[in-house]
Amino acid sequence: MKIRSPLLFKIGGLLSVAAVRHWMGTLDYKIVHEDPSVDPGSRECTGQKIYVLWHEYLLIPFSLRAHCNIALLLSRHQDAEILSYGAQYMGFDLVRGSTNRGGVTALRELFRKSRDLHLAITPDGPRGPRRQLAVGPIYLASKLQMPIVAMGFGYDRPWRFRRAWDQFAVPKPYSRVRAMTNREIWIPSNLDRDGLEAHRQKVEATLNQLTDSAEAWAESGERRLNELTIERNPVPLR
């Protein structure tokens, strides 16, 4: 039976915030940045950026980078309704839609939000294929002349929803979370279709490489040069 009540979605969103804050608060977070100033939670972060990460690891920025002036792109599908209310409670701005599936309205809204906010996009969402980057973020970065920052994440032997298209990952309590980010990637303006595709492939390869490295690091438990503890931003419940 599908839930259709806005009130139930709101209650579900509030409960999801409480659950995520408690659950994710037990984890051991470490990160390696090529450039620490790309972190939206850092005081050194200047200028708007487009952050891309795979959909299966959405829980990490959702729980750690609330109230960081980020507009999050979420599907209009009913499956994302509770998540959308939770994201608003956590202090994210929202854009509903997709950058590559009839998402003209979403693109216009992303253009508008980019004047004041960072953009966060799961470029294999909302329905996959898993870990294949859609061209939407590349087009946005080219048109807006905003840099892309790829964020790779990994958990230590997480639970996964194997039947879900993205094999969504849920970390075990008190386990390791590891993250890796690259330097800003600038996409040239006025690219044709072939140019967009070439840069799409490069960013996809970068994101997959960072994700693979973060997953291997999380599982190994080893120390890394220049690793930092990820500080959680305070998230007041409303």
Side-chain angles (χ1 to χ4, degrees):
M1 182 178 68
K2 291 186 178 180
I3 300 174
R4 299 185 182 279
S5 168
L7 177 59
L8 290 179
F9 283 131
K10 290 180 180 179
I11 294 172
L14 189 58
L15 291 175
S16 72
V17 169
V20 166
R21 290 183 66 193
H22 178 73
W23 190 282
M24 302 295 283
T26 69
L27 305 177
D28 170 37
Y29 297 97
K30 295 289 189 298
I31 192 167
V32 169
H33 294 292
E34 283 190 29
D35 176 5
S37 70
V38 302
D39 186 341
S42 169
R43 293 181 180 179
E44 298 176 6
C45 184
T46 59
Q48 282 72 51
K49 309 181 196 310
I50 300 173
Y51 296 95
V52 294
L53 67 148
W54 296 134
H55 193 275
E56 66 205 76
Y57 286 116
L58 189 57
L59 281 179
I60 302 175
F62 183 79
S63 62
L64 293 179
R65 287 299 175 258
H67 299 280
C68 283
N69 299 319
I70 297 173
L72 179 63
L73 179 65
L74 288 179
S75 165
R76 288 187 177 276
H77 196 275
Q78 191 178 47
D79 292 349
E81 285 300 313
I82 289 178
L83 180 58
S84 72
Y85 282 105
Q88 290 179 78
Y89 289 133
M90 295 285 279
F92 289 93
D93 208 319
L94 290 184
V95 176
R96 302 299 300 275
S98 166
T99 61
N100 70 329
R101 291 175 174 84
V104 175
T105 301
L107 281 171
R108 288 175 178 167
E109 188 67 5
L110 287 167
F111 271 71
R112 188 178 69 82
K113 300 280 189 184
S114 70
R115 298 169 190 165
D116 304 302
L117 302 172
H118 303 296
L119 306 179
I121 298 172
T122 55
D124 57 344
R127 291 293 175 181
R130 179 178 183 244
R131 296 194 183 183
Q132 291 186 29
L133 190 135
V135 75
I138 308 302
Y139 174 80
L140 277 171
S142 177
K143 289 294 184 183
L144 294 171
Q145 282 301 284
M146 286 172 62
I148 290 175
V149 176
M151 301 187 296
F153 298 109
Y155 300 136
D156 175 25
R157 290 165 293 178
W159 293 304
R160 286 190 178 273
F161 291 86
R162 295 294 180 184
R163 294 186 179 182
W165 68 266
D166 62 347
Q167 298 185 30
F168 195 83
V170 177
K172 295 175 182 177
Y174 304 99
S175 64
R176 292 183 294 271
V177 176
R178 299 295 182 259
M180 305 186 78
T181 65
N182 67 319
R183 295 180 182 275
E184 296 176 342
I185 301 172
W186 288 90
I187 308 298
S189 59
N190 301 318
L191 291 174
D192 59 15
R193 183 174 299 180
D194 290 341
L196 289 170
E197 174 60 18
H199 284 279
R200 186 202 69 78
Q201 291 180 19
K202 289 179 182 178
V203 175
E204 179 180 279
T206 297
L207 184 51
N208 275 323
Q209 181 181 11
L210 289 170
T211 302
D212 291 343
S213 296
E215 288 177 336
W217 180 21
E219 191 164 337
S220 72
E222 65 185 5
R223 292 183 61 84
R224 291 286 181 96
L225 184 66
N226 299 325
E227 71 175 38
L228 300 170
T229 299
I230 307 177
E231 298 297 336
R232 186 189 223 178
N233 283 25
V235 184
L237 282 174
R238 301 183 216 177

